[in-house]
Amino acid sequence: MKTFKCGACGSTVYFENVQCLRCGHALGFRPDKLEIRTLVSSGDGLYREYKKGAGVRLRYCANEVHGVCNWLVRADSQSQFCSACELNRTIPNLADPANVLAWGVFERAKKRLAYSLLRLGLPLDGAVVGKAPLTFDFLNDALTGHLDGVITIAVGEADAVERERQRQAMAEAYRSMLGHLRHESGHYYWMLLIDGTNNIDRFRALFGDEREDYVAALERHHALGPPADWSLRHVSAYASSHPWEDWAETWAHYLHMIDALDTAAVHRLEPRLGRFSSGNAWGLRPFDVYRSESFDALIKRWVPLTLALNDINRSMGHADFYPFVIPDVAATKLAFVHRVIREAMSQ
Ligand SMILES: [Zn+2]
Ligand SMILES: [Zn+2]
Ligand SMILES: [Zn+2]
């Protein structure tokens, strides 16, 4: 994720900010520009951008009043919600303050996912390309998953204690709200980018035949665990359960990789095999992980970055930043995700 500059005072401001802590100006995220912008009130809940004169009139997404969204909507928009909140079909009962807190965790993660998808030029709503609309249900007492365009996230996943309990029960190396959203979005974009397209044969060659009985495959995985040699072919144990899950896990790891590399570039962290330095090497030329770099360039930066950050986390007594090892076969699958996304981008 990039950092941004306050348009009024030049301070560094962040993706989640609603106000500049230095000069006090209101801030909001413009999804059409993919940037945090500094705002000046023009009354009636409307804003203009700082020093943009008669520029476009904006308002906050209706969910801003709940403290869960800082995205902006054009004043003439039909919807009271921003392009990311617009995708919500169900949210939990806000009369319970615990649900509001949980919803905030969900929205923060969903905004980060939406930012990556928008920067990759992927539609947030597949209806524009004739596929099922992307829809979110954030529900109490539900099972997290994807079905026909609807991503369901259990409210319990926003609770750090519950999430850690589940992680241990499932023997997972990593579990987070953002990880869930990235994984489930993979199932959605499989429908858009693979299913019924020319990519299906290459998909089957790399990931296996997704027509294998899905329910039986998951039951087998939960009863017997992953095959002993799963780590030679997959990014995670769960990825070995079925070709769809392998794709969704690989997709999630691709999004982990580009978001973290983008952040590292912003902070001028230059990882090199065997060495880690903070300097201006990345600043010599624009480094756009979302658009211009080859997969090879990305993975060459990603591996040493994760090794260094894992070690730094250990020095603080934290769990590893990236508790995974990418085998060559899984790197080939990541390269396929990269190519499919870049091709979709150029259409
Ligand atoms: Zn400021
Ligand atoms: Zn919103
Ligand atoms: Zn899945």
Side-chain angles (χ1 to χ4, degrees):
M1 175 60 66
K2 292 201 290 186
T3 55
F4 305 90
K5 287 259 183 283
C6 172
C9 74
S11 292
T12 297
V13 294
Y14 297 89
F15 183 58
E16 288 87 3
N17 289 167
V18 287
Q19 190 178 31
C20 175
L21 293 178
R22 181 150 163 230
C23 72
H25 275 92
L27 304 169
F29 181 78
R30 275 191 73 171
D32 54 339
K33 305 286 183 193
L34 292 175
E35 285 191 351
I36 291 285
R37 295 294 171 93
T38 302
L39 305 171
V40 179
S41 171
S42 53
D44 293 338
L46 296 177
Y47 294 84
R48 292 185 194 283
E49 284 191 35
Y50 182 82
K51 281 200 172 159
K52 283 280 164 69
V56 57
R57 279 150 52 94
L58 302 158
R59 55 188 154 77
Y60 282 107
C61 169
N63 285 339
E64 193 271 341
V65 297
H66 301 289
V68 300
C69 185
N70 67 339
W71 285 30
L72 297 163
V73 184
R74 292 175 73 104
D76 58 5
S77 168
Q78 300 292 317
S79 175
Q80 57 176 320
F81 297 111
C82 71
S83 48
C85 290
E86 180 76 0
L87 306 174
N88 291 346
R89 184 172 70 175
T90 318
I91 56 167
N93 183 354
L94 301 182
D96 181 346
N99 282 340
V100 180
L101 284 176
W103 184 32
V105 174
F106 167 76
E107 286 300 335
R108 272 192 294 282
K110 197 184 71 186
K111 296 300 175 344
R112 201 167 265 264
L113 168 69
Y115 173 87
S116 289
L117 298 174
L118 288 169
R119 263 190 85 182
L120 291 169
L122 296 168
L124 284 195
D125 180 353
V128 299
V129 289
K131 299 275 180 135
L134 176 58
T135 305
F136 289 91
D137 282 346
F138 184 54
L139 294 174
N140 291 106
D141 305 319
L143 280 179
T144 293
H146 168 267
L147 185 66
D148 297 334
V150 181
I151 291 175
T152 301
I153 302 288
V155 168
E157 294 294 343
D159 179 328
V161 174
E162 172 60 15
R163 195 170 56 241
E164 176 61 12
R165 193 188 65 74
Q166 293 257 2
R167 188 189 70 76
Q168 292 189 22
M170 312 284 274
E172 293 169 342
Y174 165 89
R175 193 177 182 100
S176 76
M177 178 62 82
L178 184 55
H180 279 303
L181 287 169
R182 285 178 173 158
H183 172 102
E184 301 306 339
S185 78
H187 290 303
Y188 180 73
Y189 286 99
W190 188 87
M191 287 180 17
L192 265 63
L193 303 175
I194 308 293
D195 192 23
T197 75
N198 293 334
N199 291 321
I200 191 72
D201 292 336
R202 181 78 179 131
F203 168 81
R204 286 180 183 149
L206 284 170
F207 293 82
D209 193 331
E210 83 288 355
R211 292 167 293 190
E212 175 194 354
D213 187 329
Y214 179 73
V215 173
L218 287 205
E219 280 174 1
R220 186 183 62 231
H221 176 81
H222 290 308
L224 304 175
D229 61 350
W230 68 265
S231 64
L232 300 176
R233 294 185 303 279
H234 305 280
V235 285
S236 68
Y238 184 57
S240 68
S241 61
H242 186 276
W244 276 337
E245 297 308 328
D246 197 6
W247 163 268
E249 285 288 89
T250 306
W251 174 275
H253 278 248
Y254 184 74
L255 295 179
H256 292 331
M257 183 171 88
I258 55 170
D259 186 15
L261 280 174
D262 193 38
T263 309
V266 165
H267 293 283
R268 305 272 179 93
L269 298 175
E270 171 66 34
R272 297 203 184 122
L273 279 173
R275 194 154 71 89
F276 189 77
S277 67
S278 176
N280 60 3
W282 288 25
L284 297 175
R285 65 188 172 87
F287 183 86
D288 186 349
V289 300
Y290 285 90
R291 296 268 165 181
S292 58
E293 297 300 309
S294 69
F295 179 76
D296 207 40
L298 296 180
I299 197 86
K300 276 197 177 119
R301 285 192 151 97
W302 180 232
V303 173
L305 180 70
T306 61
L307 294 175
L309 291 178
N310 284 350
D311 218 18
I312 291 172
N313 270 20
R314 287 170 206 161
S315 68
M316 282 296 294
H318 289 309
D320 280 2
F321 164 78
Y322 185 74
F324 303 96
V325 176
I326 302 173
D328 287 348
V329 179
T332 310
K333 294 173 192 173
L334 281 164
F336 175 69
V337 170
H338 176 84
R339 182 170 68 72
V340 165
I341 290 175
R342 289 290 169 91
E343 281 172 6
M345 214 183 246
S346 61
Q347 278 163 13

